[in-house]
Amino acid sequence: MRMPETYLAGAILVTLFCFLPTGIAAIIFASQVSEKWKAGDVVGSAESSRKARLWMIVSLVVGCIAWLFFIAIGMAADPNTTSMPAP
Protein backbone atom coordinates (compact mmCIF):
# COMPACT_ATOMS: atom_id res chain seq x y z
CA MET A 1 0.00 0.00 0.00
CA ARG A 2 1.30 3.45 -0.87
CA MET A 3 0.74 6.84 0.72
CA PRO A 4 -2.31 8.77 -0.54
CA GLU A 5 -1.80 11.86 -2.69
CA THR A 6 -1.11 14.98 -0.63
CA TYR A 7 -2.37 17.57 -3.18
CA LEU A 8 -0.05 20.11 -1.52
CA ALA A 9 1.15 21.76 -4.74
CA GLY A 10 -2.40 22.18 -6.03
CA ALA A 11 -3.56 23.46 -2.65
CA ILE A 12 -0.84 26.12 -2.65
CA LEU A 13 -1.67 27.20 -6.20
CA VAL A 14 -5.42 27.55 -5.58
CA THR A 15 -4.66 29.48 -2.40
CA LEU A 16 -2.50 31.96 -4.28
CA PHE A 17 -4.60 32.33 -7.43
CA CYS A 18 -8.18 31.37 -6.62
CA PHE A 19 -9.70 31.67 -3.15
CA LEU A 20 -7.67 32.16 0.01
CA PRO A 21 -9.98 30.90 2.82
CA THR A 22 -10.75 27.48 1.38
CA GLY A 23 -7.25 27.24 -0.07
CA ILE A 24 -5.83 27.48 3.44
CA ALA A 25 -8.09 24.59 4.51
CA ALA A 26 -6.74 22.58 1.55
CA ILE A 27 -3.15 23.30 2.61
CA ILE A 28 -3.85 22.27 6.20
CA PHE A 29 -5.38 18.94 5.17
CA ALA A 30 -2.67 18.35 2.56
CA SER A 31 0.05 18.82 5.15
CA GLN A 32 -1.63 16.29 7.45
CA VAL A 33 -1.46 13.45 4.91
CA SER A 34 2.23 12.56 5.23
CA GLU A 35 2.30 13.17 8.98
CA LYS A 36 -0.59 10.78 9.59
CA TRP A 37 0.95 8.27 7.18
CA LYS A 38 4.28 8.33 9.08
CA ALA A 39 2.39 7.84 12.36
CA GLY A 40 0.74 4.72 10.94
CA ASP A 41 -2.73 6.25 10.66
CA VAL A 42 -3.62 4.92 7.20
CA VAL A 43 -7.33 5.75 7.47
CA GLY A 44 -6.64 9.27 8.78
CA SER A 45 -4.12 9.86 6.03
CA ALA A 46 -6.63 8.83 3.36
CA GLU A 47 -9.31 11.04 4.95
CA SER A 48 -6.99 14.06 5.01
CA SER A 49 -6.10 13.43 1.37
CA ARG A 50 -9.80 13.31 0.44
CA LYS A 51 -10.50 16.54 2.33
CA ALA A 52 -7.48 18.29 0.76
CA ARG A 53 -8.77 17.35 -2.69
CA LEU A 54 -12.29 18.51 -1.83
CA TRP A 55 -11.15 21.92 -0.55
CA MET A 56 -8.81 22.32 -3.51
CA ILE A 57 -11.72 21.77 -5.91
CA VAL A 58 -13.96 24.13 -3.91
CA SER A 59 -11.25 26.81 -4.05
CA LEU A 60 -10.85 26.37 -7.78
CA VAL A 61 -14.59 26.62 -8.48
CA VAL A 62 -15.15 29.62 -6.19
CA GLY A 63 -12.06 31.34 -7.58
CA CYS A 64 -13.17 30.85 -11.19
CA ILE A 65 -16.65 32.17 -10.40
CA ALA A 66 -15.16 35.18 -8.62
CA TRP A 67 -12.80 35.94 -11.54
CA LEU A 68 -15.68 35.74 -14.02
CA PHE A 69 -17.78 38.00 -11.79
CA PHE A 70 -15.03 40.62 -11.53
CA ILE A 71 -14.41 40.51 -15.28
CA ALA A 72 -18.14 40.99 -15.96
CA ILE A 73 -18.32 43.88 -13.48
CA GLY A 74 -15.24 45.47 -15.06
CA MET A 75 -16.67 45.21 -18.55
CA ALA A 76 -20.04 46.59 -17.44
CA ALA A 77 -18.40 49.54 -15.71
CA ASP A 78 -16.27 50.54 -18.71
CA PRO A 79 -18.34 52.67 -21.11
CA ASN A 80 -15.86 52.05 -23.95
CA THR A 81 -16.45 48.30 -23.93
CA THR A 82 -18.68 47.07 -26.70
CA SER A 83 -19.88 43.57 -27.38
CA MET A 84 -20.01 44.12 -31.15
CA PRO A 85 -18.12 46.49 -33.43
CA ALA A 86 -19.96 49.62 -34.52
CA PRO A 87 -21.21 49.52 -38.15
Side-chain angles (χ1 to χ4, degrees):
M1 181 178 245
R2 54 181 248 231
M3 185 176 81
E5 178 69 38
T6 63
Y7 299 105
L8 186 58
I12 292 170
L13 289 174
V14 296
T15 302
L16 293 174
F17 297 112
C18 293
F19 193 63
L20 184 69
T22 54
I24 291 172
I27 290 174
I28 290 170
F29 285 115
S31 66
Q32 292 175 355
V33 174
S34 60
E35 294 301 318
K36 288 182 179 182
W37 182 262
K38 289 176 188 174
D41 184 5
V42 176
V43 174
S45 178
E47 183 68 18
S48 290
S49 176
R50 186 188 67 77
K51 288 180 181 178
R53 182 176 179 265
L54 171 72
W55 286 112
M56 187 177 70
I57 292 169
V58 168
S59 297
L60 183 64
V61 169
V62 171
C64 288
I65 290 170
W67 278 105
L68 291 173
F69 176 76
F70 290 131
I71 289 170
I73 294 295
M75 289 181 72
D78 186 6
N80 295 325
T81 303
T82 59
S83 58
M84 295 182 61

